Amino acid sequence: MCRRIAAGNWKMNGVAADLGEVSAIADAAQDTTCEVVLCLPATLLPQAGARNLPKALKLGGQDCHVETNGAYTGDISAEMLAEVGAKYVIVGHSERRQFHGESDAQIAAKARAAWDAGLTAIICIGETEEQYRAGRTLEVLDRQIAGSLPQNATSENTVLAYEPIWAIGTGLTPSLAEVSAIHTHLRTRLPDETIAILYGGSVNAKNADKIMNLENVDGSLVGGASLTVAKFTPIIKALEATK
Ligand code: PEP
């Protein structure tokens, strides 16, 4: 049995004035037995922690460095995230791979750094539109899994998020049959077959129930629709309904 997780990624969005949404999402999280996670900007993590939120909401970071400390201007370590209350950290998001040139090997090292700090690593993989159109999705995902998922990953320390890059923030999604076939394939590639596999890419209140119902989809990683309780709650409820 896999963990069931609704994870939000706030990206570079959110200031103190938005903490009310975090509190409201924490309240909504109390109505589900699934794990609800918000990966906030690092600046908001201590402020969210200071609110004594219901424990049903877990907090996460959006990236971490491979080292615990050192001369890495602008970076943040997994240990630092853990110290301010994070339980999860996203590594290898396509925006990090694309805009920061992160390699599979770096992402695997970040996942190991996350584990060392006691965090669950949410490791992201996904193909570009060009690769999708060329029918290379599975080949690309296999390569990313082989390179960025450490062999000793377990369901305790790792969550895999399949996020087709062309579906992120575009309103586009693969067909249900495609998501199902890809997740079923991914399951066979995992070092521990009970690792949760999340789907991410334009999940919203309208499509969440159908996607969450697919076999081998254990939850979602949500960008835009996780920014408000009004948009995120239906996604949490859709996952809860599939238990
Ligand atoms: C994401 O950035 O991980 C994501 C899935 O974004 P969105 O839900 O906005 O497509």
Side-chain angles (χ1 to χ4, degrees):
M1 183 70 184
C2 295
R3 295 158 80 170
R4 315 268 306 151
I5 303 170
N9 172 15
W10 274 29
K11 310 191 186 194
M12 197 172 72
N13 297 295
V15 292
D18 301 305
L19 285 167
E21 292 295 335
V22 177
S23 296
I25 290 169
D27 289 340
Q30 296 189 101
D31 296 331
T32 175
T33 55
C34 302
E35 293 172 57
V36 181
V37 181
L38 276 185
C39 295
L40 296 173
T43 49
L44 286 187
L45 288 172
Q47 299 186 63
R51 292 197 150 213
N52 288 323
L53 299 172
K55 294 203 183 332
L57 178 71
K58 302 284 186 280
L59 299 176
Q62 299 175 9
D63 179 50
C64 66
H65 198 274
V66 300
E67 303 290 347
T68 49
N69 62 281
Y72 303 104
T73 303
D75 280 313
I76 190 157
S77 72
E79 196 175 51
M80 291 169 177
L81 293 171
E83 187 181 43
V84 291
K87 303 287 182 217
Y88 293 75
V89 63
I90 297 171
V91 296
H93 191 280
S94 61
E95 288 151 16
R96 299 292 312 178
R97 291 178 186 258
Q98 187 183 347
F99 303 133
H100 298 266
E102 292 188 5
S103 67
D104 285 330
Q106 276 173 306
I107 292 157
K110 287 182 177 206
R112 284 190 287 266
W115 301 347
D116 288 346
L119 304 181
T120 295
I122 303 176
I123 302 177
C124 301
I125 58 171
E127 82 284 5
T128 64
E129 183 172 10
E130 195 185 351
Q131 291 162 337
Y132 170 73
R133 289 195 187 284
R136 293 181 48 215
T137 298
L138 296 185
E139 167 209 323
V140 169
L141 298 181
D142 283 354
R143 197 179 63 233
Q144 290 177 334
I145 287 199
S148 53
L149 204 84
Q151 265 311 304
N152 50 345
T154 69
S155 58
E156 289 298 310
N157 62 24
T158 299
V159 173
L160 183 70
Y162 165 55
E163 299 205 303
I165 297 170
W166 52 274
I168 294 178
T170 59
L172 303 172
T173 58
S175 69
L176 293 175
E178 286 172 320
V179 176
S180 179
I182 291 165
H183 277 239
T184 301
H185 173 86
L186 293 175
R187 176 79 63 216
T188 68
R189 292 295 189 269
L190 295 177
D192 168 352
E193 64 177 17
T194 63
I195 289 174
I197 310 176
L198 312 185
Y199 169 78
S202 294
V203 175
N204 57 40
K206 284 199 181 129
N207 61 22
D209 56 342
K210 290 195 183 66
I211 297 174
M212 295 308 108
N213 250 313
L214 296 171
E215 207 180 334
N216 291 315
V217 173
D218 305 308
S220 55
L221 179 56
V222 185
S226 72
L227 291 171
T228 64
V229 68
K231 288 185 178 164
F232 200 29
T233 304
I235 296 170
I236 298 169
K237 285 196 170 144
L239 181 62
E240 173 74 10
T242 62
K243 267 206 297 81

